[in-house]
Amino acid sequence: MTLEAIKYKAGQLQILDQLLLPGESKYILVAGVKDGWSAIHKMQVRGAPAIAIVGCLSLVVEIYDKQYDTKVALEKELGEHLQYLVTSRPTAVNLKLAADEVKDLATSLLNNETVNVDGMKQEVIKSIEQMLEKDISDNRAIGDNGANALLKGIDRPLKLLTHCNTGSLATAGYGTALGVIRSVNERNLLDHVYCTETRPYNQGARLTAYELVHDKLPATLVTDSMVAALLNSRKIDAIIVGADRVAANGDTANKIGTYQMAVVAKHHGVPFYVAAPFTSIDVAIADGSYIKIEERPEQELTHIAGQRIAAPGIGCWNPAFDVTPAELITGIITERGVLKPSELAEKVRQK
């Protein structure tokens, strides 16, 4: 059984505090939009799909027991809360797209004279609650599609490499890139998985390693700077990473360190796959140069577990993401199949 990072039931939301992992497994209460914004911003919850789900569910918690006099008042409050939530982390597109969907639904219900204010609220709540269920089913489909692509023409167990955390702790459950690895393992065709430490915030060492140990998968942790040596010395069949935003041309923003892995993979002839739901694809931006890259506090670079590891007074540059050019990506694994970067825009239009 995979980990459950998001617990929701009837207007009550708890999340597994990922800042405490792997030392402590503690669920914290999200009592409304302010708590949701804080949990996302502080990275108590992270991963693009999970950010969208927790953000929107925090809105459900906020309005669940409230009464509204008019539909106009409800729509106004929904819009204000969603605009606020989107500011919590700017690079991942999933939250913005989810917020836009909720806004569009609210506008539609506002203009529907057959729906009263309570009916409008219940429809908004139902729509958001369904996001949780859909994410899990989408992740399963991503896992199966990815396993099919990786194993095509191969009848032996695979050695795989992943970066950052893309599993149950980054989604509603199962995972995207880690979901692909889980699907390969379920077919008894996983030889070994390597995960990077993922500096500076160690999401690989703290979170992915935690999930791999939990699932009893054959796994080894390496530092980010060991990837070239790993590909040179051992046969790695493929690298699979996640995505926080994918541009129309297939350029992909993901956790810092992804770009250099793609460059090294190209040199060694190792297939490089991105696993992401369609909610991570933003055809409104032409290419990766338009993706806003979040910069994180210096302390994440200079300290580990509150202990300073860098010389006091040194300047820091701490971007949370980098952009991998489409030409370095073998394929983008989605719930609707494995696509070439050049196929993205057309497939999204057909959605």
Side-chain angles (χ1 to χ4, degrees):
M1 182 178 178
T2 55
L3 294 162
E4 187 179 13
I6 302 170
K7 291 184 177 182
Y8 172 81
K9 185 178 180 180
Q12 296 183 326
L13 176 63
Q14 291 181 304
I15 62 168
L16 187 62
D17 187 346
Q18 297 186 29
L19 294 180
L20 302 178
L21 293 174
E24 182 181 358
S25 298
K26 178 183 177 182
Y27 286 88
I28 58 173
L29 183 69
V30 177
V33 166
K34 287 185 178 180
D35 285 352
W37 189 96
S38 178
I40 294 167
H41 186 69
K42 292 195 297 185
M43 294 177 67
Q44 289 172 299
V45 61
R46 20 96 20 232
I51 286 171
I53 291 165
V54 169
C56 289
L57 284 176
S58 75
L59 175 61
V60 169
V61 174
E62 184 80 31
I63 69 172
Y64 201 85
D65 292 321
K66 283 187 179 180
Q67 300 296 320
Y68 295 88
D69 294 330
T70 67
K71 292 162 66 174
V72 171
L74 174 57
E75 188 207 29
K76 181 174 183 292
E77 184 167 325
L78 290 172
E80 290 172 350
H81 285 323
L82 289 166
Q83 185 175 355
Y84 170 64
L85 282 165
V86 168
T87 66
S88 56
R89 295 197 71 191
T91 301
V93 72
N94 305 58
L95 178 54
K96 182 183 183 302
L97 293 180
D100 288 344
E101 285 185 11
V102 176
K103 288 178 185 177
D104 289 345
L105 175 61
T107 300
S108 174
L109 292 167
L110 176 67
N111 295 326
N112 187 338
E113 295 180 358
T114 67
V115 178
N116 63 23
V117 63
D118 187 61
M120 177 178 172
K121 187 179 85 166
Q122 294 307 319
E123 282 297 315
V124 168
I125 289 172
K126 179 183 176 182
S127 175
I128 292 173
E129 289 175 342
Q130 288 174 343
M131 291 180 185
L132 195 61
E133 300 170 11
K134 185 178 185 299
D135 190 63
I136 293 174
S137 64
D138 285 350
N139 288 346
R140 283 282 182 178
I142 288 169
D144 288 340
N145 291 335
N148 290 340
L150 293 177
L151 292 166
K152 187 175 182 179
I154 299 176
D155 59 359
R156 57 172 176 78
L158 303 179
K159 288 185 173 70
L160 304 172
L161 170 64
T162 191
H163 185 57
C164 196
N165 176 257
T166 57
S168 298
L169 297 173
T171 62
Y174 201 69
T176 53
L178 195 50
V180 173
I181 293 167
R182 284 186 166 115
S183 292
V184 171
N185 183 66
E186 287 171 3
R187 302 180 192 192
N188 296 315
L189 287 170
L190 178 65
D191 182 312
H192 209 83
V193 55
Y194 293 87
C195 65
T196 55
E197 188 180 37
T198 322
R199 281 286 292 150
Y201 219 40
N202 295 314
Q203 294 98 323
R206 291 190 300 109
L207 307 178
T208 300
Y210 182 82
E211 291 200 45
L212 294 171
V213 170
H214 179 275
D215 286 10
K216 297 182 173 59
L217 299 184
T220 297
L221 175 68
V222 298
T223 66
D224 300 13
S225 56
M226 294 176 184
V227 169
L230 177 68
L231 298 191
N232 188 54
S233 63
R234 304 188 186 187
K235 170 63 178 175
I236 301 298
D237 293 289
I239 297 173
I240 313 105
V241 301
D244 284 76
R245 185 174 296 212
V246 182
N249 73 332
D251 291 351
T252 299
N254 192 51
K255 184 57 56 186
I256 191 74
T258 302
Y259 177 27
Q260 64 197 33
M261 289 177 69
V263 171
V264 171
K266 184 76 169 181
H267 176 76
H268 288 279
V270 175
F272 186 91
Y273 287 95
V274 172
F278 260 75
T279 52
S280 294
I281 301 169
D282 187 359
V283 292
I285 54 174
D287 58 60
S289 66
Y290 294 96
I291 299 175
K292 181 178 180 180
I293 299 299
E294 174 189 4
E295 293 196 20
R296 301 288 299 173
E298 290 186 359
Q299 189 172 5
E300 292 177 6
L301 189 59
T302 60
H303 291 68
I304 293 181
Q307 179 67 41
R308 175 174 278 277
I309 61 169
I314 188 67
C316 295
W317 179 54
N318 187 19
F321 305 92
D322 55 28
V323 175
T324 300
E327 59 264 28
L328 297 179
I329 298 171
T330 306
I332 298 176
I333 305 166
T334 76
E335 67 270 28
R336 294 175 58 189
V338 182
L339 310 174
K340 295 178 180 178
S342 59
E343 298 174 327
L344 284 181
E346 184 60 30
K347 284 289 185 181
V348 172
R349 291 189 189 100
Q350 295 172 4
K351 184 178 177 182

